[in-house]
Structure formats: C-alpha cells, structure tokens
C-alpha cells in the first residue's frame, strides 16, 4: 500500500522502454532528429562572418565573428557548437533495430540519422577544427572528459558515413515525406566536403552522380527563393518551415525600418563590386560600361535579385539609404549600416502575412552549388573541358547572363578567378562564403581592414535617379590574424566544464 | 423560594455596604531582595483608583471591602488579591521571567519558551500590525536575526519576495517550508492581520520533526483563534501612496548622443551625430526629430494609490469560539494598468464537544487579481519587457512624432505597448480547508488527526493587441507588431494532507516527559493547460472563441508528487533545569527510485536553565535568567531546480526516470507542409539520486538582565548540506539537459544575536531591540566538478555560492606603450582608456584562464533595529534594516548603454576615460567592443561595496483617550501614519535598490516607498 502511494510516473512523457514498438514510434523518433537540425537564422547571418556582409548588432551573435574580435568567452563562440541533434541521431541508431518495422524503413531511417549527424560534424569541423567525435550516447562523466578528435579524422568519418548511406536513401520522396534526406543530399554534402578538402577527383565523381539524378536549375533566379516555389527542382536540401506551427521567424532582420525590419545584415560594397556588368565584364575591366555615378545600372541581374541598392525600386518605392532626409538613411535606427539590404529571401514582402512567422523554407544545398563544385574541382585538378564551361554557363544563363567568354577564360588561373567570383555572386548571402574564403586562405586579405558601404547622395523619389557624392559609407575596421582567425574559438563555457578540451591557437 | 429571596436580599445589602463603607487597607510589598518602592496598587474594577508604594514598599488605599487589588510593576508578575474584608495585605512579588510563562509554537505542538532547546525565532501580531505591507513576507523582514527577506521589486501583486533562513543552504530552491495552522502551505495567501504569531524554526533540532521539508528552515504561522467572551469587532484600514525609491539617472539626449559619438570614435567608426544635431537636441528647436524624451516620466505615471481594509470578529462561549475576518487590498501601481486586488477571508472555529474531545475547523479563501500591461513585442509578451525597453529606449527617440504617431525602435515602442491596452490578468482562487480534532483518550494522552486540502486555481489571460507603426518621415505604415493574440492559461494545484499525531505528557517527582508520534502523507496534483488564438478581428473581445481557429494552439501537462512520513519526538526535563529533546523522522518521496526513496532524519538537543540552580541565586540581581542550549540534527531535501530555464516542463518531477519528450516536431511536405510529430530524449536522468542531507549543529544562550528589562540571545551554528541535488553543468556533447546528481556540499556558519531593552520613565515607555547575523557561506565540495562557471558568477570549493567571477582589473591603461607592454587582451582594439586585466597565469594572454574569484553578494552582517516608544496616547516605532560588508556587481544595465536607438547612458558614464580626462572613474566608453564591458568581460573593476541601511518602517500613532472613546461607545480608536522604505543610505549607485538581489536587471519594476495614514477601531 505504501509503495503504491509513492510510485508516480510521468503523466506526459514516454519512456524508452515503452517506445520502439511501431512504425509510428520510429518515425516520431527520426522526426525528432530533424527538429532544429539547422537553423535559418545561422544561414542568413553566416555571411556576416565573411567579407559579404556586416551584422550591426553585436548581441545578434555575428559582429565579432566578422570583425575578428571574437573571444572564447563571447556567447558568439557557441553559435554552432551544437551536439543536441548528434545525440538524438545516436539515440535513434542505438534503438531502431529493436522496432518491428521493415528492414527497408530501418535502413532509410538510419540513413537519415547518419546524414543529420554527419552534417553537424561537417559544420563543427569547418568552424572549430578538431572537435569531440561522439557516435553513441554518453554518460555525463564521458561528456565532461572527452577530448577533441583531429579534424582530419572527423571529416574522414563524415565522408565514410555519407558514402555508406548514399544507397540507403531514396532519390526523392512524395507527399508528406518531401523534405527528408535524399540520396542527392548525401552525395551533395559529400561533394561539398571533398571540394573543401581539395579532394577534387572524388568531388568530381560525386558531382557527376548528382548530375544524373535529375535536378535542374530553376528558371528564375529571384523566384527560386520565394515561398511559392519551395522544394523546386533545384533544391537538394532545405530547412522546412510552416507558418504558426514551426515557423521561420527571422526574415524581418534583413528588412529596413520603414518596412518594419531591423536592417541587421548589411551586404558590403566588396560584394556588390563583384557582380559583373550585364555584358559579362567585371566593373573594373576596360569598356565594361560601368558608371561609378550610376553604379547599379546594367549589372548582373543577380545583384538586383539578391541586394537592394540605393535608387532601386523595392516594395513600391525607390530605396534610399544615402540621404539623411530619408527614413531608410543608413545612420537611422534599424537601417542597414552599409546602405545595402539583403533581398534574396525578401524580394516580395507581400509573400508573407508575418515576417516573424512564415513558412519560407531555407535552402541548405541547391543544384547550382553542385555545378559550381564540379566546375571548381575540375579547374583545380587542371581538367578544364567543355563540361566545366557548360556547368558555369548553365548558371549564368539561368541568371540571364552571357555565357563565359571562353577565349578570355581559358587557363586555370583565369578560370579559378571566374569560378570563385561566380560562386560568390551566385551563392551570395546563403551562408557559404566564409567556408570558401577560409579554404582559399584569402580571408586574411578579404576580411581585413576597412569595410565600406554605398556612396552617399540623393535618390529622386519619383524616378530613383541617383546623384552621388564622393563620400562613401565607412562601416567598420576589421582585424584578421591568419594564425588565429581561420578557426572559431572553442567556447570557453565548454572548456570550463571539460578540462580536456584544448583551445584553438591564439584564443 | 426562600433561598432565592435570601440571596437577592443579601445582594442588595452588599451593594449598599460597598457604597457606604470603604475599607482602608495598608500593606507592604517586597520581593526576594526586600521592599519594592514605586509599585502600582490599583483597583481591578476601576484602575483609576490606585496608589504607588513608598520608599519602604508600603502603601495605603481606600477600597470597597469586596474588591480586588492589582499589584503590578514592570519586571514582575502581576498579582490580583481579593480584599475579602482584610485590612492588611502584604505581598511578595515574583520576578516576571517572561520566558517562564511564554509558550512558543513548535512543530506539531507548543513548547514553553523556558523549555526550548532549539533555535526558534518568534514574532507576534504586535510587530506585524499597521505596516503598509501587502504581504506577510514583507511584514517579517528584519524582525528576526538569521532570517533574511528580500523583495525583488514593488510591482503590485508580483513583489517576488524570498525568505532565507540562516543563509543559502543549498544550490537548489532555498525557500523554507511554510506551515499555516499545522498545514504545509504558503505565505502569500495569509493576510498579515490574521496572524497571531509566527515561529521560525532555524536549526535542525527544532526543524527536524519536519524532516525532509525543513532543510531551509520552517516558518510556522498561527492565525488568530476565537476567544470566549464578548464579541469583539476590530477594524483596521489605511490609504497610502507609493512612489519609486529610486530611478536610474539617465542622461538627456544631447549627452547620450555625444557619448555614443565618443564610443564610435573609440572604435574607429564614423560618428553617428554631427555637432549641429547635438546642438538641436540641446536647444529643443526640432522636438520631433531631435527630442529629449523623458521615458521614465511618461512611464511611471500611475497614481500609486493603495488602500487596505480589514474587519475582524472574535468571540464565543466557553464551548464554542470563533474568529472571522474579511480583508480587502487594492493597490494601483506606479505604471498605469498595474494593479492588484486581494480579498481574504478566514473563519476559525473551535468547539469543545465534550471534556475529552475538541474539534477545530478552519476555512480560508483568498481571491487575488493582478493586472499588468503587456508588450506587443513578438514572442515576448511580458510586462518586464516594457520595463526593460523603458530602461533601454533612447531619449533621442520621440515619444510621438510630428504626425502624432509613436516613435519606435526595432523592438517597438514601450509607450505604444503600454497605451495599446494589452493586458495580462491573473486571477487566483486559493482555498484552504482543514479539520482537526483533539481527543484525550486517557488522561494526558491526546490523539490528534487532521485532514487538510489546499486548492489553488489560477486563470491567466494575456491579450496582446496589435500595433501598426508609421514611418516618421513619410507617415506611411512601417513596422507592424502583431497579430493580436490571446493566451488563456489555466492551472490548478491541489494538495491533500492527511496527518495524525499521538502525544502523551507525564510528570512524576521532578521528572517531566512528553512524547509525540505521528504519521503524515501528502499528495500533490498539478494540472496546466493553455489555449492560444490570434488574429482577432479587433482588440475588443478577449475570449478564445472570438478569434479564428487558424493558427490556434493547445498545450497541457500535469504531474503528481507524493510524500509519506512517520515521525516522533521525546522531551524530558528534570525540574525545568535540565532539558533534552530527541526527534526522528522517516520520509519517503516519489521523486526517487525505489530503494533510494526513504531517508531518516534524527536530531537531539539539550538545554540547561542555569538560573534555576541554587548556586546561581547570588547572581540573580543582575542576571535574572540564563539558559544554555545545544543541538545537533539531520534534515533532508528533495527539491531540485529546473534543468533548463527555457523549458518550464523540464522541471524534474521524476528526475530518476529517463523520459522521451514529445513536441520535438518538424515539418515535411514541401509546398504543402504538414507537422511531423517528433519525440526525443531531452532531459538527462539519474537513477542513483537520493535525498540531499543537511547536518546542523548549534549552541546558544538566552539571558535576561535587570529583572528581565534587558534580554540577550546568541547562537552559533554550523550547517552543512551534503549530497546536494544539482544538475551539474555538462558538456554540450552530452546533448541533453544535465541530469540531477547528488553533487557537492555547502556550509553555512555563523552567529546570530538579538538584544532587547525595555523600560519606562514616568508616562514614557520605550523599547529597543536589535538583531544581527554574521553568516559565512562556503561550498565545501563539488565532487570534483568545479569550478562551475556561469557568466559572471561561479561555484567552486572554498568560495561562497555564486560568487562573482572574472578578471582582476589593475586599473586603466594610460598609454599605448602600457598596452603594448601588457599581456595581450582581446574583445576589440585595445588602447589607452581600456581596463587592464591581470595576467594571472602569466602566459602573456588574457583569456578565460585568467579569471578568478572577485567578490560575493553575501553580506558579512545583516541587521535590524527596532525603536519603540509611547507617551500617553502617542506611540512611535522606527525600524531600520540593512547589511554591511556586501558586494554588488555593476551590471551594464545599471550604467546604461550607448547606442543610437537604445542609447541610454546614466550619469555614471559621464566620467569616462578620454585623453582629456585620464583620471576618469570609468574606462573609455564602448559600444560594440567588449573589452570593458562588465557583462561580456566581468572584472573586479565592477565589484563595489553595497552596504546599506534603510529606514524600513516608521510609524506614529495616536490613541484617543479612554474617556473620549467611552463616550462614543468604542473601546479603542487609534490613528496613525506609517511609512515603508522611507530612506536609504547606500554606498552603491543610488538608483540601484540595495534589496534587489544581485542588483537590478533592468527588467524589474522599481522598489517602492509607501506613505500611508490609517485607522484602528475596536468595538
């Protein structure tokens, strides 16, 4: 009797023992691994840690990661030190065999879990270098004494995992399963990592496999990122959101104050300058047609699709960040401090009823990146053939840009320059730029020194015509120590708990 | 017939004799030492007739022969002697050793104060009367040594008070258990005016009878019970006005703008404001574009009026007694829309069924209403968010622009929120019912069963209105905070307690025994659910059904807790000289796994009333009483704090059971998205956890001097808590919220003193009492896990709990050479004017490894001082309270920050380092750089002494003379002025209230000063 009185079990949560008895259980468990597997917030802010953008509010977590002043004790250092989903995947992998479900489903679920785990390790090693490699549930003692595994070893693990699951995953899903990890996603992540590791031949092989899977470039570059066209033929993997129930809550950070936003992320002048002219010439080439007093005219259409520049029509008026008399003046509150706005995910605000609660999926991997990975791997391995030009041309033509001038871009060094510029422009503000400049080891020149924004002046409210002065927005001065800043600091909070965690050099 | 007649006639005769013949009585009054001069002898029926004894102790008085004489003098027990026709009456007065007769409420019973062996502090109704406090916790502040009460803020209904008995004993919830009329309950719902007395059981020996619940002390509250005799009606009421004790000293817009420019200059950034713009702020020539908005003035614009009324009825016969009360409190806050109303009622019935059986019943009901405005900031619909934004929004932002639209920042406008009508209304019903009986089975053997139920029902309604902002220049719609939405929360907590005790008292020769045995069980069921809808047609109707179903949400959870206990106590004393008490409690809790569930808590204590020894007699002139006490005991704790502040459902009610949480959903389906139900382990579990155990030893003495005019008590205690239930931080790689473990030990050692003196000079009576506690808190073990660092505080062996942690600041760099010669610091470009941190490990780099202990917010001493006096009808009391030797940490929010839209520096930042002001008290000002930031880079530079003394309460009253009140048929009328938090002297910033725990967070409503006038009437 007395024993009964004190026996009280949870009323609203399950136990591991009572679970794993049906397909429903298995699916719920793997769905739990997807919960926050990647965050749209980090995707949109990540370019502020590169030379593409500037995050004006330090409390949002990316200012010091951009200007080089990050310390191990900053909360920013913890932005991506995430193991929660790794643990969840480990849990599923440890238990799924108990469930009375088909081997086929088991294999798919294992594939999904192993991908999601591999993705976290990909991200961790890119940013922090050596990290603890955890492939099973830990005790607290183990968690507090674990050491960092060398980056090389962790990345080998990631590649091996991805290699093993490629054939366990379907090429596509239908109905209520769209959005799960596919074979294409596994191959694409693998190819991305191989490129980052300069393992060009494997990268090329994997890219070629993806090219056979039927992905195509979505015909309209700007609409590719709109909610109406989610999960189109170009999307390989995205974070899925739904209004009200699991919402994308962060689009307002890119919008300017007069439209109810915060202007948190300002694209830099350096990024704007890398967009070619519509004729395919860079702005500093002779006869390019570039007019420094009307700098946004006749440019690569992707500039207008990705960035709102002064004098450009946006949401029914001409954006004016360069005149003190304007609501959107760069010094005004909640306005972009570079004078440029991110437009990529917010090209049409009428797509959303609420900027802080909407269903816009955030793309993590898309086919254009695969084509660029392929092209770069081929260029770097010295085999510049037609397939390289075709890949780049496909991307440029979709964007309404002329094909590559094969006469001008013929050798490895010019092609390298071209593909790097193409990557920056095509994938701008999608969170990948930092990984590129970090592996090209040119962050020490690109992410250092003064950051500039737009030139000041006037915008004719009726026509958008620019009258620019010679004064250019100076944003901030960045520092970069190549011996230190290529890696983020291991969060001090983790090192306080676990004395075996070493720190990256310089922090 | 004849008997009756005779009796009647004799009565008539007596009356006539009384009227006609007064007796002259002579006598001498002495005490043990000899004659007593100055003693009052008066007539009981008519105290106006009275004389004093002369230098020889003799007196003469004329009285009717059948009357009763009263002999009284301070320091002696009052005597009443019937005249009975005697003409000479000699009296020997007995010294009034109050402790001899005073009875103290202890666990499951009472004990004579003289026979107490543990450390028990008491407060009676008198000390609680007429203070304009809204809750009982405030009323006891400073009245007892070693009992610390802190108030977080002054928001009506949400003061967030906490009580700590003898320091923070655990790393968990340190609240003491509160027992109201024998039932474990809470203080919040007891009207202070219903309280007869409060006992706080401070040491293990006295608290051990509550075993597992008592590790943080026990507060025993006894409410006023009925008394036989004429029905007495009393009315107490007051009206008062609150004002903020202090508000931050924010700078005007031109200074704020100039400081922001200075910060940008320090950080190599372009300046935000031109000199012309700063001039416009200063001269007010363009008040919409260059305003100087007084946000605090706009915000703290409520009336702050409060009123309280209390009506008590008390009476009964020798068989049945009742006490009934009604109370109403209505308090408007300093901010419009903040209000609380509380209606309390209580009925206590005592009934003697037969000589052997008494039955008591209590019923109390409290209805509480709290209303507060809400923010429309998406995702943070809290009142605290409005307070925070008021403390954040810059004076450079206009309240309203030239078009009459609200000026706003990225988070919105706090004034727009306040004035939108968004509200949170919390309604609570608290029902307390208990029935108990006392059956004397055989002589001195009492069986006391009790059944009690406490039900709390809460209903919260948050209706957030939507707000459209407009562009300041174009007047076009810009930011929208919406949609409007309603959250309806309902929760209910029901606790049923079943308890029975058996006690027996036996004395033979000079041996006195008391024995108690008992059983109790307690069952708690908590249910919570919430409904949400949004996008209502307008902001008028605040019921769920008025909103659309699209986007609606429902959530709910529940838990159960069970506790079971058996306990016993044995008291023995020999002739009141040698006292000994033993307790044993055996507790079982549903929070632990089978096998770890039960804990045993023994305690023993002893006392020696030395004054009763023959050898002490010669000392009695000076030392009228003296007792030594000593105790040892064990206590337990099963409470654990929640694992993750972000998830209320992570509170570990079942910390040993590994659970899989629902709600870990995701979305699939692409263009037609659907919710994919997800589950995952979220909380770590630990099957091995067991009771947290506190061992406490203590010694003390109670002494009375000068016939009891001066009293002094002192205690030393050493309280050690082992196996503390704690979710020790675990590395992120663990992937789950850290499980609860038995990790670590904390020790609190200290001294407590209380001294009192009372005397009179003619009509002037006065009393002084002072108390002080010196407590040292120290973590003695963390199972090898320390230091546990959490931002600017840490826990480590050898240091107080949550001590300040950071760099040691060695001053301010004055030159670039000095910077270059010093260890490398980071957080921005380091230059002259930056704080210089000590390179503790001498590795040439300042980083996380150079942090150390830099201070503690535990005071070395906390004290209270009560002064009271009365002269004829006038009474005066002053109550001071304070702490000394205490540090506080200057959080960034106390200094204010520099920015444009959220730039709100306080005057403290005016004295920041610049090349022109190299001797500044502050480092060079910062905006995005973190090297000098007290939150991002905690350092000793920001640790400051925060000792204070506060006049907590001042009361002046006047009681109308008896002949006036008699004329209008009343027993007593008193009018008074009472003030709370009248003034404060503090060594810290004067806008930071010293009582706010660990300083103001910027989210907190300020503490309040209250001035009231009141009336007490007894019919």
């Amino acid at each position: 009797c007395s024993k009964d009185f004190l026996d009280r079990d949870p009323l609203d949560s399950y136990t591991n023992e009572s679970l794993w008895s049906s397909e429903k259980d298995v699916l719920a468990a793997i769905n739990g691994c997807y919960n926050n597997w990647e965050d749209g917030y980090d995707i949109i802010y990540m370019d502020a840690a590169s030379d593409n953008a500037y995050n004006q509010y330090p409390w949002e977590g990316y200012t010091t990661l951009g200007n080089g002043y990050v310390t191990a004790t900053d909360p920013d250092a913890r932005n991506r030190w995430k193991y929660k989903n790794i643990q969840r995947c480990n849990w599923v992998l440890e238990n799924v065999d108990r469930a009375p479900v088909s081997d086929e489903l088991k294999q798919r679920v294992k594939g999904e879990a192993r991908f999601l785990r591999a993705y976290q390790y990909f991200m961790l090693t890119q940013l922090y270098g050596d990290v603890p490699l955890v492939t099973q549930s830990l005790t607290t003692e183990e968690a507090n004494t674990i050491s960092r595994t060398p980056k090389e070893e962790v990345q080998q693990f990631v590649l091996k995992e991805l290699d093993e699951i490629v054939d366990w995953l379907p090429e596509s899903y239908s109905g209520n399963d769209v959005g799960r990890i596919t074979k294409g996603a596994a191959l694409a992540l693998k190819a991305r990592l191989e490129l980052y590791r300069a393992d060009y031949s494997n990268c090329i092989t994997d890219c070629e496999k993806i090219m056979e899977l039927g992905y195509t470039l979505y015909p309209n570059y700007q609409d590719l990122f709109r909610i109406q066209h989610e999960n189109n033929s170009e999307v390989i993997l995205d974070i899925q959101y739904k209004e009200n129930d699991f919402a994308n809550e962060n689009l307002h950070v890119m919008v300017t104050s007069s439209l109810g936003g915060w202007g948190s992320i300002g694209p830099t002048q350096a990024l704007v300058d890398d967009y070619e002219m519509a004729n395919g010439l860079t702005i500093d080439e002779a006869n390019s047609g570039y007019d420094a007093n009307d700098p946004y005219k006749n440019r690569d259409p992707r500039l207008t699709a990705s960035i709102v520049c002064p004098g450009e029509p946006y949401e029914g008026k001409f954006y004016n960040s360069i005149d003190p008399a304007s609501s959107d003046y760069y010094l005004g509150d909640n306005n972009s401090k570079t004078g440029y706005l991110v437009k990529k995910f917010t090209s049409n605000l009428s797509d959303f009823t609420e900027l802080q609660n909407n269903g816009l999926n955030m793309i993590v991997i898309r086919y254009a990146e695969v084509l660029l990975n392929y092209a770069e791997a081929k260029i770097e391995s010295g085999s510049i053939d037609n397939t390289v030009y075709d890949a780049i041309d496909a991307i440029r033509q979709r964007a309404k840009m002329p094909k590559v001038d094969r006469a001008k871009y013929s050798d490895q060094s010019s092609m390298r320059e071209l593909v790097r510029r193409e990557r920056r422009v095509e994938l701008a503000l999608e969170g990948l730029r930092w990984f590129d400049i970090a592996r090209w080891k040119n962050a020490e020149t690109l992410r250092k020194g003064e950051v500039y924004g737009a030139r000041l002046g006037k915008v004719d409210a009726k026509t958008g015509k620019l009258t620019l002065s010679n004064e250019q927005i100076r944003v901030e001065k960045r520092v970069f120590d190549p011996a230190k800043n290529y890696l983020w600091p291991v969060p001090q909070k983790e090192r306080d708990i676990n004395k075996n965690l070493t720190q990256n050099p310089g922090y | 017939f004849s008997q009756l007649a005779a009796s009647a006639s004799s009565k008539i005769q007596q009356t006539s004799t009384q009227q006609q013949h007064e007796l002259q009585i002579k006598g001498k009054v002495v005490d043990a030492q000899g004659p007593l001069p100055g003693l009052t002898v008066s007539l009981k029926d008519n105290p106006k007739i009275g004389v004093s004894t002369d230098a020889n102790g003799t007196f003469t008085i004329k009285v009717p022969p059948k009357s009763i004489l009263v002999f009284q003098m301070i320091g002696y027990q009052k005597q009443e002697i019937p005249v009975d026709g005697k003409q000479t009456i000699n009296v020997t007065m007995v010294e009034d050793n109050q402790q001899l007769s005073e009875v103290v409420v202890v666990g499951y019973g009472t004990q004579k104060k003289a026979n107490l062996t543990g450390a028990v502090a008491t407060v009676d109704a008198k000390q609680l009367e007429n203070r304009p406090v809204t809750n009982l916790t405030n009323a006891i502040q400073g009245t007892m040594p070693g009992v610390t009460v802190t108030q977080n803020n002054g928001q009506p209904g949400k003061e967030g008070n906490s009580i700590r008995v003898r320091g923070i004993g655990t790393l968990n919830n340190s609240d003491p258990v509160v027992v109201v009329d024998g039932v474990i309950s809470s203080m919040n719902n007891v009207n202070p005016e219903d309280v007869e007395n409060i006992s706080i059981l401070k040491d293990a020996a006295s608290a051990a009878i509550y075993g597992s619940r008592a590790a943080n002390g026990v507060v025993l509250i006894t409410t006023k019970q009925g008394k036989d005799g004429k029905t007495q009606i009393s009315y107490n009421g007051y009206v008062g006005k609150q004002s903020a004790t202090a508000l931050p000293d924010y700078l005007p817009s031109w200074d704020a703008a100039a400081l922001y420019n200075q910060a940008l200059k320090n950080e190599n950034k372009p300046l935000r404001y031109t000199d012309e713009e700063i001039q416009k702020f200063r001269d007010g020539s363009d008040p919409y574009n260059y305003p100087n908005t007084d946000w605090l003035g706009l915000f703290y614009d409520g009336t702050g009026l409060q009123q309280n009324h209390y009506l008590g009825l008390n009476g009964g016969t020798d068989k049945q007694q009742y006490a009934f009360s009604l109370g109403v409190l209505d308090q408007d806050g300093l901010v419009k829309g903040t209000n609380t109303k509380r209606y309390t009622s209580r009925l206590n019935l005592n009934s003697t069924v037969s000589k052997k059986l008494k039955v008591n019943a209590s019923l109390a009901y409290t209805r509480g209403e709290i209303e507060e405005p809400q923010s429309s900031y998406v995702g943070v619909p809290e009142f605290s968010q409005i307070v925070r934004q008021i403390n954040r929004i810059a004076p450079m932002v206009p309240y309203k622009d030239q078009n009459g639209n609200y000026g706003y920042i990225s988070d919105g406008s706090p004034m727009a929120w306040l004035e939108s009508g968004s509200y949170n209304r919390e309604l609570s019903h608290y029902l307390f019912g208990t029935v108990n009986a006392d059956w004397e089975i055989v002589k001195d053997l009492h069986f006391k069963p009790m059944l009690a139920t406490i039900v709390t029902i809460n209903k919260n309604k948050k209706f957030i209105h939507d707000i459209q902002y407009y562009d300041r220049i174009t007047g076009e719609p810009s930011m929208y905070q919406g949609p409007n939405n309603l959250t309806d929360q309902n929760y209910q907590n029901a606790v049923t307690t079943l308890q029975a005790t058996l006690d027996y008292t036996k004395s033979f020769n000079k041996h006195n025994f008391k024995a108690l045995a008992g059983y109790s069980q307690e069952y708690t069921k908590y249910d919570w659910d919430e409904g949400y809808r949004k996008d209502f047609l307008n902001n008028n109707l605040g019921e769920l059904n008025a909103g659309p179903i699209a986007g609606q949400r429902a959530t709910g959870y529940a838990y159960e807790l069970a506790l079971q206990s058996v306990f016993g106590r044995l008291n023995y004393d020999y002739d009141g000289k040698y006292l000994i008490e033993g307790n044993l409690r055996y507790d079982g809790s549903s929070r632990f796994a089978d096998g770890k569930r039960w804990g045993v808590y023994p305690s023993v204590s002893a006392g020696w009333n030395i004054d009763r020894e023959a050898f002490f007699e010669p000392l009695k002139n000076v030392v009228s009483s003296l007792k030594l006490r000593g105790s040892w005991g064990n206590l337990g704790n099963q409470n654990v704090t929640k694992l993750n502040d972000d998830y209320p459902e992570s509170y570990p009610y079942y910390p040993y059971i590994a659970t899989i949480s629902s709600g870990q959903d995701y979305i699939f389906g692409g263009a037609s998205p659907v919710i994919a139900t997800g589950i995952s382990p979220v909380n770590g579990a630990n099957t091995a956890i067991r009771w947290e155990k506190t061992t406490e030893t203590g010694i003390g003495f109670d002494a009375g001097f000068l016939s009891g005019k001066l009293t002094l008590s002192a205690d030393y205690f050493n309280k050690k808590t082992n196996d503390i239930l704690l979710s020790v931080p675990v590395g992120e790689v663990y992937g789950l919220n850290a499980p609860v473990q038995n990790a670590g030990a904390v020790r609190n050692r200290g001294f407590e003193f209380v001294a009192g003196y009372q005397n009179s000079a003619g009509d002037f009576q006065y009393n002084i009492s002072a108390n002080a506690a010196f407590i040292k808190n120290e973590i003695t073990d963390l199972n090898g896990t320390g230091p546990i660092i959490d931002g600017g505080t840490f826990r480590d062996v050898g240091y107080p709990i949550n001590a300040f942690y950071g760099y040691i600041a060695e001053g301010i760099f004055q030159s670039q050479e000095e910077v270059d010669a010093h260890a490398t610091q980071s957080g921005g470009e380091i230059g002259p004017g930056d704080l210089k941190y000590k390179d503790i490990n001498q590795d040439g780099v300042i980083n996380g490894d150079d942090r150390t202990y830099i201070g503690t917010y535990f005071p070395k001493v906390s004290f209270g001082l009560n002064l009271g006096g009365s002269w004829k009808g006038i009474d005066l009391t002053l109550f001071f309270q304070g702490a000394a030797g205490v540090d506080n940490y200057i959080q960034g929010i106390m200094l204010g920050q520099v920015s444009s839209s959220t730039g709100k520096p306080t005057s403290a930042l005016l004295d920041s380092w610049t090349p022109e002001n190299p001797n500044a008290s502050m480092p060079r000002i910062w905006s995005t750089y973190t090297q000098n930031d007290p939150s991002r880079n905690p350092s000793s530079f920001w640790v400051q002494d925060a000792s204070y003394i506060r006049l907590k309460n001042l009361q002046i009253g006047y009681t109308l003379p008896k002949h006036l009140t008699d004329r209008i048929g009343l027993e007593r009328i008193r009018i008074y002025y009472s003030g709370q938090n009248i003034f404060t002297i503090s060594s810290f910033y004067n806008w930071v209230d010293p009582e706010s725990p660990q300083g103001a967070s910027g989210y907190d409503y300020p503490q309040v000063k209250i001035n009231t006038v009141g009336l007490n009437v007894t019919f």
Side-chain angles (χ1 to χ4, degrees), chain B residues 49 146 952:
Chain B
I49 299 175
K952 192 77 194 167

Side-chain angles (χ1 to χ4, degrees), chain A residues 112-128:
Chain A
E112 291 174 78
R114 287 170 72 176
F115 176 92
L116 292 170
R117 184 172 66 178
Y119 180 84
Q120 294 298 330
Y121 282 119
F122 158 76
M123 194 57 78
L124 282 163
T125 51
Q126 285 301 313
L127 297 171
Y128 298 98

Side-chain angles (χ1 to χ4, degrees), chain A residues 2-3 5-17 19 25 27-29 31-37 54 56-59 63-64 67 69 71 73-76 81-84 87-88 91 112 132 134 138-141 143-144 146 175-180 230-231 238-246 257-262 317 324-327 330-334 354 356-357 361 450 474-477 484 492-497 499 506-507, chain B residues 268-272 377-378 392 397 408-411 471-474 477-480 482-483 521-523 525 534 550-551 553 556-564 588-590 594 597-598 647 654 656-682 729-736 739 741 785-787 789-790 807 826-829 845 847-849 851 897 899-902 927-930 936-937:
Chain A
S2 71
K3 204 180 164 201
F5 184 73
L6 293 180
D7 265 331
R8 307 286 170 179
D9 289 327
L11 300 170
D12 58 1
S13 42
Y14 306 93
T15 63
N16 203 34
E17 289 67 40
L19 215 65
D25 289 0
L27 290 174
N31 294 346
C33 298
Y34 279 91
N35 177 269
N36 297 321
W37 71 276
Y54 166 73
Q56 67 163 310
Y57 308 114
W59 54 86
T63 309
T64 60
N67 65 21
Y69 285 126
T71 64
T73 48
D74 281 348
D76 312 7
W81 188 272
K82 289 179 180 168
Y83 277 81
K84 193 182 251 180
Q87 196 284 333
R88 290 177 176 198
W91 170 69
E112 291 174 78
V134 182
L138 297 182
T139 65
T140 53
E141 290 75 20
N144 290 349
I146 195 164
N176 292 349
D177 285 320
V178 170
R180 289 186 186 275
E230 284 181 349
N231 295 88
D238 58 1
I239 315 164
Q240 307 250 317
Y241 288 111
K242 181 171 185 290
E243 188 180 338
N244 297 328
D245 301 312
F246 191 82
S257 70
S258 68
L259 297 168
W262 295 359
K317 52 186 174 183
S326 162
S327 301
Y330 84 106
L331 280 180
D333 304 325
N334 308 325
E354 290 174 51
Q356 299 193 48
N357 172 14
N361 293 352
E450 289 290 349
R474 197 166 68 77
V475 181
E476 71 168 345
K477 196 174 171 186
K484 165 182 172 182
Q492 185 66 36
K493 193 175 177 182
E494 296 298 319
R495 299 188 63 233
D496 288 341
I497 294 168
K499 303 285 180 277
Y507 289 103
Chain B
N268 285 313
K269 288 191 169 171
L271 302 191
R272 167 70 175 84
Y377 184 24
V378 177
R392 208 171 162 252
V397 178
Y408 63 95
I409 58 174
S410 60
D411 293 351
D471 190 273
R472 189 159 53 87
I473 293 171
T474 64
S478 55
M479 184 163 79
Y480 173 69
Q521 69 175 45
E522 198 184 308
Y523 171 73
K525 176 81 194 289
K534 62 169 188 172
R553 214 169 50 218
Y557 69 92
Y559 62 80
E560 300 174 296
L561 297 172
L563 268 173
Q564 214 169 10
S589 163
S590 64
D594 209 6
R597 211 162 257 175
W598 290 87
Y647 300 96
Y654 310 94
Y656 71 94
I657 300 174
T659 56
I660 313 296
S661 301
S662 55
Q664 311 303 311
D665 303 339
Y666 191 64
I667 303 297
F668 289 122
S672 21
V674 291
I675 304 169
T677 302
I679 54 169
S680 290
V682 169
V730 60
E732 167 69 21
V733 290
Y734 184 62
L736 304 174
Q741 300 178 40
T785 58
I789 299 156
D790 182 15
Y807 301 120
S826 49
E829 191 180 347
V845 179
N847 58 20
D849 301 331
R851 295 168 301 167
Q897 60 183 1
S899 171
S900 53
S901 59
T902 58
S927 166
T928 63
Y929 284 5
T930 60
R936 292 260 204 152
N937 270 323

Side-chain angles (χ1 to χ4, degrees), chain A residues 288-299:
Chain A
S288 69
Y290 177 68
D291 177 358
N293 289 320
D294 199 0
Y296 316 115
K297 206 172 139 197
N298 295 328
R299 301 288 294 273

Side-chain angles (χ1 to χ4, degrees), chain B residues 211 419 633 645 696 709 763 860 881 919 1005:
Chain B
E419 292 171 350
D645 285 337
E696 186 170 0
K709 285 192 191 101
D763 285 335
K860 288 199 172 67
Q881 178 251 333
N919 297 317
Y1005 184 101

Side-chain angles (χ1 to χ4, degrees), chain B residues 89 230 260 615:
Chain B
I89 297 178
K230 168 178 163 276
Y260 183 41
F615 66 77

